[in-house]
Amino acid sequence: MDRRPMFLAALLAVSIVVTTLAVPTLVSARPAYEIPVTNVDNGATLDAVDGERWDQAPSAGVSLSSSGAAVPGGDNSTIDEVRVASARTDERLYIRLSWDDPTRDTSADNVRQFADAVAIQVPVNESARPPIAMGSTDNQVNVWYWSGLNDSQELLAGGPGTTTTLDDRNLESDATYRDGRWQVVLSRPLDGAGDNRTSFSAEQDVDAAVAVWNGSDMERSGAKATSEWHYLALGPGPQGPPYEMILWLVAGLGIVFTTLVTIEGVRRTRGE
Amino acid sequence: MSQAGNGTEVGLADGIDHQVAMVMDLNKCIGCQTCTIACKTNWTDGGGREYMYWNNVETKPGSGYPRDWEEMGGGWDEEGEERTPGELQNKEEYGRAWNFNHEQVMYEGSDEPLRPMEQPDWGPNFDEDEGAGEYPNSYYFYLPRICNHCTHPSCVEACPRSALYKREEDGIVLVDQDRCRGYRYCVEGCPYRKVYYNAMKKTSEKCIFCYPRIEGEGPEGEVMPPSCAEDCPPQLRLVGYLDDEEGPIHKLVNEHEVAVRLHPEYRTEPNVYYIPPFAPPQHSESGESIESERIPRSYLEELFGPDVHEALNTIERERAKVERGEESEVMEMLTTTDTADQYRLEVFD
């Protein structure tokens, strides 16, 4: 018996099995720009960076590049990536940020000393996407800011250089530096409880962007590493680009193509 | 720009009604630091300000305060359009407060002289009176410095938050303490290094031209000159508006052009002006005076720009006039002991 049709038939079978197994794994990959948000019943272990619940929370690697702001060093940042995870209870939103930084800078006691810092910005009006550089006057952003001075602040901004401290301090933070890596948790009630404060709901994803400052590189203000807009996946369904559909389509076409090639191969072998 | 009565132009920043200014006659400065202490005790004796001297007096030639501030950059390019950001200096370059053996000498009966507990290697006035040149023609002079409240302030431009601003009514440059977030771009942007960082408050601070005094906000409600000016024993400072045509500042700066700016090449257009220093002529080895200026003109030009030549020539002519028994408005203004002439306080009222 000619071995070729058998080989092709076996190949077809293997292809189908591989596709069937691989495609579901691929389509469960997160859409680009998603920061996953885990729903939890209570946040007891989320307010500390070492909290157990963070072990199970998926995180996203967020790429950073220089902000390019018009300040000395604005195009010269040093931190490339920050990992971001998020979790929410019925009352509170938690965000954990971690990044590699070989120097731990927690003081600004000397003229030349600057502290490491991290911030996440979200639109005040979560249904509209503001300009990435600190929003704009008619499209403001809330900023959750933590610095190595052991200081966390909730800020409002309406464009570069306009950050203003919001008085009522609802923002809580916890941070550790271990093995050349910062881990910072910031949390705040979902309800903004006031004007100019973002309220988070389970109905809608919320845009978010991250910035990291390396103190030993004298980074401060616009001299920082920033991300593009990502989104906190707070809403009910999958969002982002339709990767799933594209992947299924590619897989389906692949199966059909392979089948046709196989059939043709078998027919030619038989001399039909 | 506004046009003064005699046709000379007075440079005012855009949107500024008047510009406060000061003229300091370097020929009168005795380096006593009374101005330094007057300022320090008035404004900078609080936490985080230990190292700050909003007013300081340094010896020239010398490294100054902070050390080598003239080499740290800042200010504007030659066209005066692009900022040239400078370097942020170390705290050591300002010098830190030394601990003295007061306890041992005063209370424990030590025979040691009163001195710092550790070997100091730098501090404000560390090179005081050293100067330059060889005996018998060595030379130095004192240079009192405050914030220049520049017409084109690079500190204001450097701040990404607009926390520094120039007051519309009198051109005084201030730091809004509520807006400042301690980024220190102003500190490195000022080529005169006259903005300071308060590490305790995490904000920048600077000379405020004693605005509460010139506004009459003191206990008696009287308008008073800045502390550094009022407390100066030889009364070397004249205070007023640059655009006050009746005042001595306008006359010395714009009419007679005998008061010049320190490092005009930084292009920030300072509003503190200096009457350049005269010194006795050089001496020969046998002790006779010779026709050679003791302080090299080239050095004065380095400090005050090319206009210093004409300023010195004019002063020399005016001095000769007085020696001949003629009248000289310039010398009258520079030698008056009437504080009402020195401080045109009525313009602030």
Side-chain angles (χ1 to χ4, degrees), chain B residues 3-76:
Chain B
Q3 209 76 13
N6 65 351
T8 53
E9 280 188 344
V10 179
L12 295 187
D14 285 345
I16 301 300
D17 297 339
H18 299 286
Q19 176 62 58
V20 292
M22 193 179 273
V23 168
M24 301 195 199
D25 185 349
L26 297 182
N27 297 288
K28 293 181 185 169
C29 187
I30 57 173
C32 66
Q33 307 284 355
T34 308
C35 51
T36 309
I37 300 305
C39 179
K40 185 127 197 77
T41 52
N42 233 352
W43 303 114
T44 62
D45 66 345
R49 305 191 184 98
E50 292 77 6
Y51 80 97
M52 284 186 208
Y53 294 97
W54 292 356
N55 176 103
N56 77 294
V57 182
E58 57 199 56
T59 296
K60 286 289 171 190
S63 295
Y65 161 85
R67 178 168 51 188
D68 299 327
W69 60 270
E70 288 152 297
E71 287 149 37
M72 288 173 180
W76 302 86

Side-chain angles (χ1 to χ4, degrees), chain B residues 215-240:
Chain B
E215 286 176 359
E217 292 296 321
E220 284 91 39
E222 282 177 48
V223 173
M224 299 169 100
S227 274
C228 59
E230 185 168 50
D231 284 11
C232 174
Q235 288 290 292
L236 64 87
R237 302 181 191 220
L238 309 170
V239 177

Side-chain angles (χ1 to χ4, degrees), chain A residues 17 69 92 138 152 159 162 186 189 210 272:
Chain A
V17 169
R92 214 167 169 83
D138 56 356
S152 60
T162 63
L186 292 163
V210 183
E272 289 174 8

